[in-house]
């Protein structure tokens, strides 16, 4: 692969620290969610950041596929849910993703076809394929 762009972020202090992108556009405190035994509070976490990135990437892939097929999209909404839970095989943790896709005004069969093709095309989907469970739901 010939890189076209490199994103860089520095984390200090892990899940109870901070993250900042090399250009300063992203700068957040990190907080462990209460559900994982942390204090919660103001701050984000790796799962929220991954959900945001995956959702944005997937919606861009969806727009690309629709454009190639001559389908006009309006008011598309992608909700990316990143789940974290216990990995029974080693006692650690593992991730899963559920993508909820709303394509108003598109006939259901076509919407499902576009969603599936976008999932095949999306770089995040390619990176996770075979590694984590990804559920694709067309609403």
């Amino acid at each position: 692969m010939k890189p076209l762009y490199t994103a860089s972020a520095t984390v200090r202090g892990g899940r109870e620290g901070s993250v900042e992108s090399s250009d300063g556009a992203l700068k957040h405190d990190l907080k462990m969610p209460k559900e994982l035994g942390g204090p919660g509070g103001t701050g984000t976490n790796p799962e929220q950041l991954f959900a945001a990135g995956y959702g944005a990437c997937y919606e861009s892939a969806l727009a690309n596929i629709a454009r190639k097929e001559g389908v006009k999209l309006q008011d598309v909404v992608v909700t990316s849910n990143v789940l974290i839970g216990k990995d029974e095989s080693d006692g650690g943790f593992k991730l899963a993703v559920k993508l909820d896709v709303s394509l108003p005004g598109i006939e259901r069969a076509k919407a499902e076809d576009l969603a599936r093709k976008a999932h095949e095309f999306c770089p995040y989907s390619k990176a996770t394929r075979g590694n984590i469970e990804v559920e694709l739901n067309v609403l």
Side-chain angles (χ1 to χ4, degrees):
M1 175 186 84
K2 181 182 175 189
L4 301 174
Y5 169 75
T6 300
S8 180
T10 300
V11 174
R12 290 183 174 82
R15 286 182 170 269
E16 289 295 320
S18 63
V19 61
E20 183 173 358
S21 61
S22 58
D23 65 0
L26 175 74
K27 187 173 185 175
H28 290 284
D29 289 332
L30 298 170
K31 294 292 179 194
M32 176 84 78
K34 287 182 181 182
E35 296 85 349
L36 295 178
T42 303
T44 191
N45 58 63
E47 293 73 32
Q48 288 175 333
L49 294 168
F50 186 61
Y54 201 154
C57 186
Y58 178 82
E59 188 169 344
S60 291
L62 185 61
N64 185 296
I65 295 298
R67 187 173 42 259
K68 285 180 181 177
E69 295 198 7
V71 177
K72 184 167 172 47
L73 299 180
Q74 287 190 160
D75 303 320
V76 173
V77 176
V78 174
T79 301
S80 176
N81 304 280
V82 173
L83 302 82
I84 185 169
K86 284 287 190 177
D87 185 342
E88 301 301 323
S89 68
D90 66 6
F93 295 89
K94 67 180 187 177
L95 299 176
V97 173
K98 183 176 143 191
L99 295 172
D100 293 328
V101 183
S102 175
L103 297 164
I106 307 294
E107 181 248 283
R108 180 153 192 92
K110 185 61 180 176
E112 289 174 349
D113 182 58
L114 291 170
R116 181 188 52 75
K117 288 176 179 174
H119 186 48
E120 294 298 316
F121 186 75
C122 173
Y124 271 68
S125 294
K126 288 178 183 178
T128 60
R129 191 166 292 120
N131 296 311
I132 66 173
E133 189 176 314
V134 177
E135 180 183 332
L136 186 59
N137 297 307
V138 176
L139 307 176

